[in-house]
């Protein structure tokens, strides 16, 4: 039994992965977690559940997602053969839909009519809002105030899909606080609400269940790479925040000992600074959000703020299965800074015509480092977990290619329209001042934006760095 | 080390004893919650002393934590203030010692699990005993995940309070009854901490279910475990209503709000009003 499980890493199914995982939750939620565990076990044994999910993936998600060779990108990675698993082409733009559709089907089995979710970059929130619309369920998404500002486009997407987005203003106002709010909502509304946790963290059974819904990534990719190259890849790489896309692509390879697995954590300004989200690299074991894993914390066990240019990786914890894979040496976790990720982001845009999510750019940066180490004979499979549409503003600003003046002009126009609406049928005296103030504010914004564009243009123009 | 011979081991539950005393003298026990370090360490100590001087039988001191998933907005705001002021875990032991030097009421710490894990579960238990504390309430640690804490509290004789919720199965209620010492924390309603107009009828049903699953009838003997109801209680009338069927009533957010709004004198006044509800 023990030798059996030691040779089949894929069979680990919780609640513990080695010393990691478990269920550290308020008693009020234990019944709901037990119910999910039971219904999930039933569903796993029921072929109609698998068939339903497969049909949704075929006709709605767009699975199987393709693989794409990236030879021009590979030139920057020591000439290694780079193969991208294109989760960015899924409906809603990332891997997140895999888990959400699975959990929505379960929620229906549980008789729940309301879905709640936490979101960082907004990808999981968008996926949950999408599933709620598809299944005719109501949806509330919790998002840290800081993230609603840097991912405004995804907030709008969720609202267009009919979800209510609640901006979380407690704690550090980022992803971890969105999880706290979602748990609080769930405690109060557990009778009709399913919490669609978006990553392989949280209390059992979430780490196992979310992994199972994502393992299709690696199962497809393993067969696709074998078919394309006649062999398994030398390495599989993915970005790691909570770790859902990484575990999804790793899982099918866990028992292939010759395939190296690399997870890339967000190092923000650098792991030598305090502004990073490199949980396994710099954290130590603790209990956060219901499971024991690595986390960023101070001496007293208070969770530390994390930082990353990528909202989706800006989380001070990590899934327990990753902590375990790291502890037994099966997977290696390394830090990638904001600057390294953004460099890889630009390289992929300009060599392959693919705009990646900034999260996925961390995996690309890792592939560049690894390719240079392994050389031109190596094949590296990269999880391209999401597309960069949501990041256009962040990246545009980072590289100084965003036309801030045009944005400000469009804001000016909008303000004028709003002001006109206000003056229609209203008393004039106050409105004139209001109008003038708006115009002045917009002018100032325009001036500031133009000077910023000048600064940025001066600083760029160096193209792709090798 | 040998468990039984530890000199600090307490055979009698201090919290159970206080509940028994309150139930024989009055209708039942009043348990008051305040966070350590809010609005600052000195004032949080004064406020806790004022609670006991105004009729609170057992103190529940909250340890501020960065991710308090069971707490509503009033307590979150107070604990965040304490963290922003530089709260350290050692402040909790300082507070317990200072309060115990001034008033004679058992003190439970209410803490999320990770700070205890990081401090070291055994070291935490030993330091709590040294400071004169009675035990822990663990909102995110259940019996089935709590073997290490159960062993540490068995070794030291500290009280341990597990929670029972309206959604708990009979099997889980029995686990909470069998493994709690002092009392079982009866979660009156599905939700986070915070004052509510009505204390849910679910609390009465839940106490009945706990009694059916092994909880002692009537006044608990000092060696056994009582049922104390918390979450949503904010008035003397609600305390009186709860004590008709439970051994104790727990008040948190209403006291924290009083401390935030009117300082120690206001929290003393509110505590005295709540204590009226314990009179027979």
């Amino acid at each position: 039994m023990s030798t059996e499980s030691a040779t089949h890493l894929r069979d680990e199914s919780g609640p513990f992965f080695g010393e990691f995982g478990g269920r550290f939750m308020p008693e009020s939620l234990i019944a709901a977690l037990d119910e999910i565990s039971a219904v999930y076990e039933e569903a796993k044994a029921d072929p109609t559940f698998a068939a339903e999910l497969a049909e949704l993936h075929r006709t709605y998600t767009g699975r199987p997602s393709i693989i794409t060779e990236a030879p021009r990108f590979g030139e920057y990675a020591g000439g290694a053969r780079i193969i991208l698993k294109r989760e960015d082409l899924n409906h809603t733009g990332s891997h997140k839909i895999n888990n959400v559709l699975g959990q929505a089907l379960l929620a229906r089995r549980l008789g729940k009519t309301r879905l709640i979710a936490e979101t960082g970059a907004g990808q999981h929130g968008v996926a949950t809002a999408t599933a709620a619309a598809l299944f005719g369920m109501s949806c509330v998404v919790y998002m840290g105030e800081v993230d609603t500002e840097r991912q405004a486009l995804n907030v709008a997407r969720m609202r267009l899909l009919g979800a209510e987005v609640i901006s979380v203003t407690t704690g550090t106002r980022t992803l971890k606080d969105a999880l706290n709010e979602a748990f609080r909502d769930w405690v109060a509304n557990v009778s009709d609400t399913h919490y669609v946790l978006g990553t392989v963290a949280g209390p059992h059974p979430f780490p196992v269940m979310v992994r199972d819904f994502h393992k299709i990534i690696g199962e497809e990719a393993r067969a696709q790479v074998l078919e394309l190259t006649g062999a398994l890849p030398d390495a599989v790489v993915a970005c790691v925040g909570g770790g859902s896309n990484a575990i999804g692509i790793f899982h099918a390879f866990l028992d292939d000992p010759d395939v190296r697995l690399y997870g890339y954590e967000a190092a923000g300004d650098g792991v030598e600074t305090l502004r990073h989200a490199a949980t396994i690299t710099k954290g130590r074991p603790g209990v956060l959000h219901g499971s024991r894993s690595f986390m960023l914390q101070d001496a007293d066990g208070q969770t530390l703020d994390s930082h990353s240019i990528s909202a989706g990786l800006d989380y001070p914890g990590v899934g327990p299965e990753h902590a375990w894979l790291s502890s037994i040496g099966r997977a290696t976790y390394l830090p990638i800074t904001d600057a390294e990720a953004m460099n890889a982001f630009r390289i992929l845009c300009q060599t392959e015509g693919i705009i990646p999510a900034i999260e996925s750019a961390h995996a690309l940066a890792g592939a560049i480092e690894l390719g240079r180490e392994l050389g031109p004979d190596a094949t590296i499979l990269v999880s391209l977990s999401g597309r960069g549409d949501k990041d256009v503003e962040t990246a545009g600003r980072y590289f100084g290619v965003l036309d801030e003046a045009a944005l400000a002009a469009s804001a000016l126009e909008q303000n004028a329209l709003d002001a006109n609406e206000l003056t229609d049928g209203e008393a004039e005296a106050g409105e004139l001042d209001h109008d003038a103030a708006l115009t002045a504010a917009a002018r100032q914004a325009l001036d500031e934006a133009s000077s910023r564009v000048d600064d940025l243009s001066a600083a760029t123009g160096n193209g792709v760095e090798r | 080390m040998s468990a039984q011979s530890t000199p600090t081991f307490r055979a009698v539950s201090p919290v159970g004893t206080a509940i028994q005393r309150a139930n024989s003298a009055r209708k039942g026990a009043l348990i008051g919650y305040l966070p350590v370090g809010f609005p600052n360490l000195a004032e949080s100590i004064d406020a806790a002393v004022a609670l006991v001087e105004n009729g609170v039988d057992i103190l529940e001191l909250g340890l501020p934590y960065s991710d308090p998933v069971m707490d509503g907005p009033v307590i979150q705001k107070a604990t965040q203030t304490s963290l922003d002021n530089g709260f350290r875990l050692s402040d909790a032991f300082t507070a317990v010692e200072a309060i115990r030097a001034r008033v004679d009421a058992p003190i439970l710490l209410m803490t999320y699990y990770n700070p205890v894990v990081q401090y070291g579960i055994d070291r935490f238990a030993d330091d709590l005993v040294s400071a004169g504390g009675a035990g822990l309430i663990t909102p995110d640690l259940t019996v089935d995940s709590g073997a290490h804490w159960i062993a540490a509290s068995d070794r030291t004789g500290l009280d341990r309070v597990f929670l029972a919720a309206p959604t708990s199965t009979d099997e889980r209620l029995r686990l909470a009854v069998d493994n709690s010492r002092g009392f079982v924390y009866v979660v009156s309603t599905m939700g986070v901490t915070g004052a509510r107009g009505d204390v849910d009828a679910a609390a009465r049903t839940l106490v009945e279910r706990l009694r059916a699953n092994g909880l002692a009838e009537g006044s608990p003997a000092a060696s056994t475990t009582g049922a104390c109801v918390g979450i949503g209680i904010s008035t003397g009338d609600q305390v009186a209503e709860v004590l008709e069927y439970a051994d104790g009533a727990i008040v948190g957010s209403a006291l924290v709000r009083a401390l935030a709004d009117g300082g120690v004198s206001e929290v003393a006044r509110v505590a005295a009003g709540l204590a009226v509800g314990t009179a027979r």
Side-chain angles (χ1 to χ4, degrees):
Chain A
M1 178 75 190
S2 61
T3 49
E4 189 89 337
S5 65
T7 52
H8 293 285
L9 301 177
R10 271 175 300 166
D11 294 341
E12 290 295 331
S13 58
F16 281 92
F17 299 92
E19 58 176 310
F20 303 104
R23 187 188 272 179
F24 301 92
M25 273 278 118
E27 176 66 21
S28 300
L29 288 174
I30 300 294
L33 293 167
D34 278 341
E35 189 186 24
I36 293 169
S37 294
V39 171
Y40 178 55
E41 289 305 315
E42 269 172 43
K44 270 202 296 191
D46 178 357
T48 62
F49 181 82
E52 267 182 306
L53 187 55
E55 182 64 5
L56 273 174
H57 280 331
R58 195 179 65 81
T59 62
Y60 192 74
T61 310
R63 300 210 75 90
S65 66
I66 59 171
I67 55 170
T68 299
E69 287 225 45
R72 287 193 2 98
F73 179 86
E75 288 173 26
Y76 293 86
R81 187 171 187 181
I82 303 290
I83 300 171
L84 308 174
K85 177 60 173 168
R86 301 291 305 279
E87 292 298 299
D88 62 317
L89 296 179
N90 292 340
H91 180 45
T92 74
S94 79
H95 70 291
K96 294 290 187 188
I97 191 79
N98 302 326
N99 166 47
V100 163
L101 289 177
Q103 288 204 44
L105 279 174
L106 271 189
R108 198 164 69 183
R109 286 188 169 225
L110 287 158
K112 306 285 168 87
T113 56
R114 179 173 175 267
L115 300 182
I116 58 171
E118 85 293 341
T119 199
Q123 294 299 84
H124 176 60
V126 166
T128 306
T130 299
L134 180 67
F135 282 72
M137 295 175 178
S138 64
C139 182
V140 172
V141 178
Y142 292 93
M143 190 167 184
E145 191 182 37
V146 171
D147 295 331
T148 59
E149 286 161 9
R150 60 180 162 178
Q151 301 284 348
L153 201 60
N154 266 346
V155 174
R157 286 170 82 194
M158 289 182 266
R159 288 183 176 145
L160 289 172
L161 291 160
E164 183 186 353
V165 180
I166 296 182
S167 173
V168 176
T169 57
T170 52
T172 55
R173 305 175 198 194
T174 57
L175 180 54
K176 84 171 178 70
D177 306 287
L179 267 112
N180 293 339
E181 266 328 295
F183 277 123
R184 290 182 189 116
D185 179 316
W186 202 28
V187 169
N189 300 295
V190 70
S191 60
D192 72 342
T193 298
H194 175 67
Y195 177 17
V196 186
L197 211 152
T199 190
V200 287
H204 181 73
F206 283 110
V208 172
M209 185 172 72
V210 176
R211 175 202 72 193
D212 287 351
F213 288 137
H214 280 306
K215 70 184 181 184
I216 191 170
I217 303 171
E219 287 167 354
E220 285 177 4
R222 190 173 182 280
Q224 288 166 323
V225 171
L226 267 175
E227 195 192 336
L228 178 73
T229 69
L232 291 175
D234 296 292
V236 179
V237 308
C239 65
V240 177
S244 65
N245 91 88
I247 211 76
I249 199 162
F250 286 175
H251 193 257
F253 297 97
L254 288 183
D255 297 311
D256 297 320
D258 294 338
V259 178
R260 304 197 212 179
L261 306 175
Y262 289 90
Y264 292 100
E265 303 190 302
D269 291 348
V271 291
E272 71 287 357
T273 72
L274 290 174
R275 287 169 56 79
H276 63 79
T279 309
I280 294 179
T281 308
K282 296 291 281 188
R284 61 176 203 278
V287 174
L288 175 66
H289 293 142
S291 59
R292 184 169 192 280
S293 186
F294 277 80
M295 56 180 286
L296 300 178
Q297 54 185 324
D298 70 11
D300 280 356
Q302 308 286 356
T303 312
L304 290 173
D305 294 1
S306 54
H307 166 80
S308 168
I309 190 170
S310 144
L313 302 182
D314 197 349
Y315 179 60
V318 66
E321 194 168 2
H322 286 295
W324 172 65
L325 290 174
S326 172
S327 72
I328 62 171
R330 178 63 190 95
T332 304
Y333 297 84
L334 297 168
I336 292 291
T337 62
D338 286 355
E340 290 166 330
M342 294 312 289
N343 188 47
F345 177 99
R346 179 157 57 175
I347 293 173
L348 191 75
C349 290
Q350 298 183 3
T351 58
E352 302 289 346
I354 298 169
I355 301 178
I358 296 177
E359 289 77 15
S360 318
H362 288 70
L364 293 162
I368 290 174
E369 276 184 14
L370 188 63
R372 287 173 182 177
E373 187 190 315
L374 299 181
D377 294 336
T379 301
I380 301 174
L381 172 66
V382 182
S383 175
L384 195 65
S385 56
R387 63 177 174 243
D389 303 34
K390 70 184 173 63
D391 295 318
V392 165
E393 198 174 333
T394 304
R397 219 161 249 147
Y398 185 89
F399 294 116
V401 297
L402 195 68
D403 193 341
E404 303 263 6
L407 272 190
S410 126
L412 181 72
E413 200 174 304
Q414 189 60 46
N415 283 341
L417 284 172
D418 292 348
N420 282 341
E421 269 175 38
L422 282 172
T423 41
D424 283 348
E426 296 261 344
E428 289 86 27
E431 295 301 329
L432 285 174
D433 289 348
H434 181 61
D435 227 357
L438 272 178
T439 310
R443 282 249 157 73
Q444 197 190 338
L446 191 93
D447 290 347
E448 282 173 12
S450 314
S451 70
R452 261 204 308 273
V453 168
D454 293 344
D455 292 347
L456 286 165
S457 312
T460 50
N462 47 348
V464 166
E465 276 176 55
R466 278 187 93 133
Chain B
M1 63 179 71
S2 142
Q4 259 66 23
S5 65
T6 307
T8 49
F9 180 78
R10 275 185 293 232
V12 178
S13 156
V15 169
T17 307
I19 291 177
Q20 187 189 37
R21 196 181 302 136
N23 274 275
S24 51
R26 288 170 284 119
K27 243 178 130 173
L30 177 62
I31 297 146
Y33 167 95
L34 286 174
V36 179
F38 175 76
N40 54 61
L41 185 59
E43 216 170 318
S44 69
I45 292 168
D46 289 345
V49 169
L51 291 190
V52 179
E53 288 171 346
N54 286 276
V56 165
D57 300 293
I58 297 161
L59 286 170
E60 177 188 348
L61 292 187
L63 262 62
Y65 176 55
S66 52
D67 297 275
V69 293
M70 265 304 282
D71 284 310
V74 171
I75 291 176
Q76 276 182 53
K77 197 173 166 207
T79 53
Q80 187 62 48
T81 301
S82 175
L83 288 172
D84 292 345
N85 291 343
F87 168 82
R88 295 299 312 265
L89 284 186
S90 55
D91 294 343
F93 302 115
T94 305
V96 169
E97 212 163 351
I99 295 164
R100 293 282 299 161
R102 287 165 63 181
V103 286
D104 184 25
I107 302 174
L108 291 165
L109 295 183
M110 202 282 323
T111 178
Y112 292 89
Y113 193 42
N114 195 47
V116 180
V117 171
Q118 299 307 323
Y119 195 87
I121 296 168
D122 285 298
R123 179 178 162 226
F124 196 101
D126 290 339
D127 286 2
L128 184 56
V129 169
S130 300
L136 294 186
I137 300 174
T138 51
D140 61 349
L141 185 71
T142 54
V143 172
D144 36 345
S145 295
H148 196 155
W149 160 235
I150 288 173
S153 47
D154 277 347
R155 177 176 63 79
T156 51
L158 285 170
D159 283 329
R160 54 177 181 248
V161 174
F162 289 106
L163 278 60
T167 48
S168 304
T169 59
D170 284 351
E171 188 192 354
R172 295 194 60 82
L173 292 184
R174 192 166 279 277
L175 265 186
V177 169
D178 290 349
N179 289 282
S180 292
R181 185 167 50 228
F183 64 88
V184 176
Y185 192 120
V186 179
V187 176
S188 68
T189 187
M190 294 301 288
V192 296
T193 57
R196 286 173 180 80
D198 296 304
V199 176
D200 208 309
R204 185 187 294 265
T205 313
L206 185 50
V207 172
E208 283 165 11
R209 289 181 59 217
L210 282 165
R211 304 242 189 258
N213 282 284
L215 193 77
E217 283 288 346
S219 302
S223 59
T224 63
T225 302
C228 297
V229 176
I231 300 192
I233 302 173
S234 61
T235 68
D237 287 347
Q238 287 173 329
V239 169
E241 187 195 324
V242 161
L243 293 182
E244 280 169 22
Y245 56 87
D247 304 307
I250 308 165
V251 182
S253 295
L255 293 169
V256 176
R257 182 176 287 131
L259 181 57
D261 292 349
V264 174
S265 60
E266 179 63 9
V267 87
R269 197 187 66 78
V270 170
L274 292 163
V276 170
T278 67
R280 247 203 272 270

